[in-house]
Structure formats: C-alpha cells, structure tokens
C-alpha cells in the first residue's frame, strides 16, 4: 500500500480552529519567514482578535515565537524538534550521508536526497557545493513526480500500473517551457531512464537548473529514495554532467550494497 | 486558507477562548506523542496516550493530515508529515548564532575584561566567527576567520569533543601520526566530554591561554565553541576558575537562546 494523504474509509472532517492554526504555519516560508499580526490577519481573512488568539496559542506550544520588540512572529523551536523527528525516522538519510559527502567532494556540486511520499517527492537532505553560486535546495517542499531528474527516477521505479494510475490521477502543470507534461513523452523518458539507470533534466522544475538523478533501490527493487546532483547553468557542460553521473552512480551503488544486507525499511517505502 | 463557517466557539466570550486554546493544545499534545522511537501510531494509541476522545481526535488528525503535518498510510498508521521538514528548514535558516552570541560575549568580556571568541567547525578545522576584545592594553588579539586544526587549542578541542566516538577516532587517526600524541589527544577529548569545558595554555600561541565551552542547539548537537582567551602571564589559578565559571555559564545561556532544552 502506498501512503496517502487521506484516510481510506471516510470523508475527512476538519476541526476549524486547528485548521486555522495550521494555515498560519502554512504561511511561513523561506521568502516569508516573519509575519506581523496585521499581515497574518489579512492573509487569513480573519479578524485581528481571532488571529491574535491563534498566534498566541501557537506561541504557547512552541510552534511560533513572538519577538515583542519588533512585533514579529517567526517559527518556534518546536518546528525544529519535530523536523528532527521526521529526519531521524528516515533511515535512508543516515545511510546515504557518507555517499552524498563523497559525491559532493568528487564534483563539488550540491547533492540532494529525496524520498517519495504518495504523489510527491520531498528533498530531505542536501550537502551543498562550496561554490559561491549554486541552487539553494528547499527542504521538505512537495515536488510533483513528473518534473525533474530526481522525480523521474522515482517515477521510473514504480510499476507500470502505478505510473498509469498516477498519470490518470494527477493534473500536470508546466513549471517552465521545459517541463514534460504529455503522457507519451513522459513514458518515453521513463523508458529511457529505466534503460540508462539514471535521469538527466534541464530547467524542468527550476529555471536554468540542471540535474542528474538516480534512484536508490533496496533489495526488493523498491526505491528507498533518490539522489540528485544539482548543477547551475553557469557551470554546466556535457563533460560536467558525465562526471556527475559517474560519481552519482558510484555513490548510489555503495548505498544499495549497504541496504542489501539490511532489513530496515523506511516508512513509506512499499514493496513492489 | 479556506474560509471556514463561524462556529459557536468563535463567538468570542471567555469560554470560547478557552475552547479554542484547548483544540490547539490537543493538536500540540498529539504532535508531541511522536518521537524518534515512536514514529508511527494508530488512532487508538493516540487516543489513549493523549486522553482525547476518539471522535474528537479523528477531526484533529484529519486536519493535521490535510496540512501535511501528519501523514497516514493505508493501514491507518499516523506519522509526522514532511511539512515539518519545510518548517524546520525555514526556522534553521533564521538561526543567527553570531547575533545571538554577541550579547553573551559582551557580558562575559565586561565581567572579566579578557577577549571572548566564538568559533565554528568548518570541515576539519575550527574557524573564528567573531570576537569581543578585552580593553586591557595587553590582551589576546585574534581575527575573524582565523583557522586551526580541531585538536589544536581549546575551542577546536571542544568542537572535536562534540563529534561521535567513531568520527573522533577517524580524525585522530588521520591527523595525528605519533601514537603517544594521539593517546594524549584522546584523553584530552574524554576529559572535555566529562568536564564540559577545555583549558589550554600555550597551544595555538606560546603566549596565550584559553578556556572554551560547547554551545549546543535544539537537538543537543555541539554547533559552536565559546572561548575566553588571555595572556598566559595573567592566567593564574584564580583567573582560570573565574574563566571556567563565566564561559560555561555563557555557553549554557547561548545554548538556551538557540533552543537547547536539556
């Protein structure tokens, strides 16, 4: 069974107050890490008094912090603790780390680990290149399975039946002119990825970002995750791409050898 | 954010405020039930552990799942959702250790009038990120960005002691060639782990002495070192014990600011 984001047997029933509190958390991002009460009230379309009570409750539980001097709300340390629990429960992260470090050292480009959850992929760890210029990888953001190299290798690791159901279920929007959304072209790319064992992409998800990706398969052939190397346009060439593919393949082989001797499997990695 | 119909609890009287707080408190309590050893839990387990009635709990769980704060699999087992990775990443990006450390560093300098230094581990070296200087005419002078191997000096040794046993062994094996020096290094790191601070005299520089203590983040990881450094000629037993008290107290205070909760 694939983990889903909806329970199976009944319609979802939301609690309004918790829903609003969670909507407050949804507002925080790298580009909007600080909010004032009036800004949040406008964004939620709720009265200031209601918004204030929600914010105050979130502060009480450590999920937000209030800087009284600047009158700003930011995320609290509670979010870091819960994020750590999620990271620690991903066994693949600890197993992939040494290989990620080796790949980064070999090519000095940013190496990212991502995992599939339902219809999305999430970056869960990255080791950045030491160059001043590089693509910052957003951690924990849902990325669809049809865009980019890391997504494609995870898609290619699914059964044809699962892929068919996925393509029928999911609406595909182009992030750029390079995003592949037509089922036939996607099928071609999946076949090519399976043949080669890795995927390459240019600007499909991030404009002017290149990537090479490879799935990490466990002993049942299930994708425990994917590694990709992200290369900015300014340093990209076919030769660089080739070097990244080689380093990536070598690193993934090492992780897979480690996985072969282990029965431990992350939550969310179903047998094929 | 979808507009929700107003409920009775929204009408604004005192009871309603308490009710609102309670629903959020219950959600927070449910989230706190997940930990490294408890990554998956069923509705029944969550109901029992939180004391929230199952019918109410279902609504809270559905809501959290809807926002990606929880995820549920086909067998109705709940776990924390990847949205926490996004939120943790945003929060981590805002951690400004230098800004948080400066008031603590000034406070220590004002108390003892010796130079206070903040250092990080970068690769296998310790690097000074910032310092607050003593006002005395003879004082420790350093530079931002100054580097040394981890095992040389008080700050680096404290950062080295923050690594795992395996990492420390690997580092020692790679960097220190003489067997007796390596053993001495291991004993020193063990002493730092036991005492919670390092005292070094004349290692980085023949004329200086330093006392360093570890700074920890929300997860307990050692992420920086706070150091008081002074001329060796002033470094009496009395000054040493005052430095130890000030630097360990300051490092604890800074760690709390960075979310460390022992």
């Amino acid at each position: 069974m694939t983990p889903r984001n909806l329970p199976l047997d009944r319609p979802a029933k939301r609690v309004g107050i918790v829903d609003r509190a969670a909507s407050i958390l949804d507002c925080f991002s790298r580009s909007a890490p600080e909010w004032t009460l009036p800004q949040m009230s406008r964004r939620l379309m709720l009265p200031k008094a209601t918004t204030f009570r929600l914010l105050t409750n979130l502060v009480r539980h450590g999920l937000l912090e209030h800087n009284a001097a600047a009158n700003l709300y930011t995320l609290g340390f509670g979010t870091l603790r819960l994020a750590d629990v999620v990271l620690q429960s991903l066994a693949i992260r600890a197993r992939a780390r040494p290989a990620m470090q080796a790949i980064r050292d070999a090519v000095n480009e940013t190496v990212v680990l991502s995992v599939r959850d339902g219809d999305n992929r999430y970056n869960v760890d990255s080791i950045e290149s030491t160059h001043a210029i590089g693509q910052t990888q957003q951690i924990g953001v849902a990325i669809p399975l049809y865009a980019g190299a890391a997504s494609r290798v995870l898609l290619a690791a699914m059964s044809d039946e699962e892929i068919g159901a996925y393509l029928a279920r999911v609406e595909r929007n182009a992030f750029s002119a390079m995003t592949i959304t037509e089922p036939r072209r996607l099928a071609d790319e999946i076949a090519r990825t399976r043949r080669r064992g890795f995927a390459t992409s240019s600007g499909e998800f991030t404009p002017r970002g290149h990537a090479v990706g490879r799935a990490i398969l466990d002993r049942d052939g299930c994708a425990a995750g994917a590694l990709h190397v992200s290369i900015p346009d300014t340093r990209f060439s076919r030769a660089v791409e080739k070097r990244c593919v080689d380093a990536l393949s070598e690193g993934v082989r090492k992780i897979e050898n480690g996985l072969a001797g282990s029965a431990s499997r992350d939550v969310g990695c179903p047998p094929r | 954010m979808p507009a929700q119909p107003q409920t009775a609890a929204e009408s604004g009287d005192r009871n309603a405020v308490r009710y609102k707080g309670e629903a959020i408190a219950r959600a927070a309590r449910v989230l706190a039930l997940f930990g490294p050893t408890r990554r998956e839990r069923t509705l029944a387990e969550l109901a029992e552990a939180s004391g929230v009635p199952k019918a109410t709990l279902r609504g809270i769980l559905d809501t959290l799942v809807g926002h990606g704060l929880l995820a549920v699999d086909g067998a109705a087992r709940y776990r924390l959702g990847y949205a926490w990775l996004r939120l943790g990443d945003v929060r981590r990006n805002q951690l400004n250790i230098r800004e948080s450390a400066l008031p603590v560093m000034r406070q220590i300098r004002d108390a003892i009038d010796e130079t206070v230094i903040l250092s990080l581990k970068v690769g296998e070296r310790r690097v000074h990120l910032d310092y607050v200087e003593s006002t005395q005419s003879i004082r420790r002078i350093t530079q931002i960005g100054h580097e040394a191997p981890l095992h040389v000096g008080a700050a680096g040794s404290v950062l080295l002691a923050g690594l795992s046993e395996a990492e420390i062994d690997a580092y020692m094996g790679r960097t220190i060639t003489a067997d007796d020096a390596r053993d001495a290094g291991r004993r020193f790191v063990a002493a730092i782990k036991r005492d919670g601070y390092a005292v070094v005299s004349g290692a980085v520089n023949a004329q200086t002495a330093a006392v360093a203590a570890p700074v920890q983040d929300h997860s307990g990881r050692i992420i920086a070192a706070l150091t008081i450094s002074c001329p060796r000629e002033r470094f009496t037993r009395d000054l040493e014990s005052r430095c130890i008290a000030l630097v360990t107290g300051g490092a604890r205070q800074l760690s709390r600011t960075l979310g460390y909760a022992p």
Side-chain angles (χ1 to χ4, degrees):
Chain A
M1 288 301 255
T2 309
R4 303 145 36 104
N5 274 341
L6 275 179
L8 286 175
D9 52 343
R10 59 199 165 75
K13 181 183 122 250
R14 290 192 178 193
V15 176
I17 291 141
V18 178
D19 196 36
R20 290 189 189 106
S23 296
I24 287 181
L25 296 179
D26 291 343
C27 294
F28 288 84
S29 68
R30 277 214 185 174
S31 49
E34 298 174 333
W35 291 76
T36 64
L37 170 61
Q39 284 170 344
M40 190 56 84
S41 155
R42 272 199 302 277
R43 171 69 172 263
L44 298 184
M45 292 183 290
L46 286 174
K48 269 196 204 158
T50 311
T51 309
F52 177 73
R53 285 197 297 269
L54 289 165
L55 289 168
T56 305
N57 273 305
L58 286 167
V59 169
R60 179 174 309 147
H61 297 289
L63 295 176
L64 291 184
E65 271 164 39
H66 181 223
N67 177 339
N71 212 2
L72 284 172
Y73 291 88
T74 57
L75 291 170
F77 285 112
T79 61
L80 279 178
R81 291 206 185 91
L82 290 165
D84 267 7
V85 174
V86 177
L87 284 180
Q88 283 166 28
S89 67
L90 285 162
I92 188 66
R93 183 171 171 261
R95 291 180 168 279
R97 264 262 152 181
M100 290 173 69
Q101 190 77 52
I103 297 166
R104 201 284 309 268
D105 291 348
V107 297
N108 200 13
E109 295 296 348
T110 298
V111 182
V112 184
L113 172 69
S114 53
V115 296
R116 181 185 144 218
D117 186 25
D119 289 344
N120 291 302
R121 152 179 99 75
Y122 296 81
N123 291 334
V124 294
D125 199 8
S126 72
I127 300 182
E128 312 233 327
S129 80
T130 59
H131 296 296
I133 292 169
Q135 200 76 52
T136 302
Q137 301 292 321
Q138 299 234 29
I139 301 295
V141 176
I143 298 167
L145 290 176
Y146 57 86
S151 289
R152 188 129 57 246
V153 295
L154 290 172
L155 199 56
M158 289 158 62
S159 69
D160 290 339
E161 197 187 356
E162 282 178 301
I163 296 173
Y166 168 79
L167 293 177
R169 181 172 62 231
V170 172
E171 195 184 320
R172 292 177 296 284
N173 303 308
F175 295 94
S176 74
M178 304 300 284
T179 312
I180 304 167
T181 56
E182 306 141 57
R184 182 168 300 176
R185 279 195 57 210
L186 267 174
D188 288 348
E189 285 296 329
I190 288 165
R192 187 157 162 247
T193 301
R194 284 177 175 169
R195 222 164 38 237
R196 296 198 295 177
F198 62 87
T200 58
S201 70
S202 290
E204 287 181 29
F205 184 66
T206 312
R208 289 184 303 283
H210 301 261
V212 298
R214 189 168 189 121
I216 304 165
L217 301 176
D218 70 12
R219 58 181 177 181
D220 299 320
C222 160
L227 285 190
H228 74 271
V229 180
S230 157
I231 313 151
D233 209 30
T234 47
R235 283 195 297 277
F236 183 80
S237 69
R238 289 296 158 201
V240 167
E241 186 182 71
K242 169 83 171 59
R243 279 222 317 277
C244 289
V245 168
D246 291 346
L248 185 67
S249 299
E250 159 117 26
V252 167
R253 202 157 37 237
K254 280 192 185 133
I255 304 170
E256 288 175 345
N257 287 341
L259 288 180
S262 137
S264 94
R265 172 183 284 166
D266 280 330
V267 183
C269 182
R272 276 176 78 191
Chain B
M1 135 92 197
Q4 295 283 324
Q6 290 264 313
T7 63
E10 278 255 12
S11 50
D13 62 56
R14 219 169 263 278
N15 286 335
V17 174
R18 202 172 306 139
Y19 177 83
K20 277 168 95 93
E22 196 182 342
I24 295 173
R26 283 172 158 175
R29 205 150 73 224
V30 166
L31 291 170
L33 292 173
F34 293 89
T37 57
R38 273 277 182 203
R39 40 192 251 215
E40 286 184 299
R41 313 200 68 162
T42 63
L43 174 70
E45 285 169 1
L46 291 169
E48 199 191 321
S50 67
V52 179
K54 268 194 200 173
T56 315
L57 185 59
R58 265 213 183 100
I60 290 174
L61 296 177
D62 281 359
T63 312
L64 295 173
V65 168
H67 288 271
L69 298 173
L70 285 182
V72 59
D73 68 9
R77 284 184 305 253
Y78 291 86
R79 60 185 166 83
L80 291 174
Y82 291 123
W84 293 110
L85 293 184
R86 182 180 68 78
L87 296 170
D89 181 55
V90 173
R91 184 67 186 83
R92 189 169 295 114
N93 238 16
Q94 284 178 299
L95 280 182
N96 190 336
I97 184 170
R98 195 174 152 269
E99 213 166 86
S100 307
L102 270 174
V104 177
M105 293 166 73
R106 289 205 190 95
Q107 189 186 308
I108 296 173
R109 193 270 319 269
D110 292 348
I112 201 159
D113 204 10
E114 296 295 352
T115 299
V116 182
I117 309 168
L118 177 70
S119 326
L120 303 179
K121 179 174 113 43
V122 176
E124 294 200 325
R125 300 174 72 78
R126 78 96 180 96
V127 179
H128 290 335
L129 184 63
D130 208 353
Y131 62 86
V132 176
E133 260 187 17
S134 156
T135 64
Q136 304 186 65
S137 57
I138 295 176
R139 60 180 182 262
R140 173 66 194 272
I141 293 169
T142 186
Q143 304 103 39
I144 291 177
H146 180 272
E147 288 183 35
L150 283 181
H151 64 281
V152 177
S157 300
V158 157
L159 294 168
L160 185 57
L163 302 181
S164 71
E165 292 296 342
E167 287 169 320
I168 294 170
D169 268 359
Y171 173 86
M172 296 279 194
R174 263 196 312 276
T175 29
I176 311 177
T177 42
D179 283 348
D180 51 342
R182 205 158 50 225
D183 289 344
R186 286 209 180 95
R187 278 198 302 278
F188 188 48
V189 167
I192 296 169
K193 285 192 176 198
R194 184 191 64 222
D195 302 337
Y197 61 84
V199 180
V200 166
S201 194
V204 182
N205 182 309
Q207 285 109 49
T208 62
V211 182
V215 177
Q216 287 164 282
D217 73 2
H218 68 281
S219 68
R221 272 188 296 263
I222 292 175
I223 54 165
L226 204 56
T227 307
I228 304 176
S229 186
C230 66
R232 259 175 108 178
E233 60 190 31
R234 273 206 294 273
F235 199 59
T236 57
R237 284 269 164 207
D238 174 56
L239 189 72
E240 177 181 330
S241 58
R242 285 173 59 213
C243 282
I244 291 170
L246 279 168
V247 84
T248 53
R252 263 198 304 276
Q253 188 186 339
L254 178 55
S255 299
R256 274 196 303 272
T257 313
L258 296 170
Y260 179 59

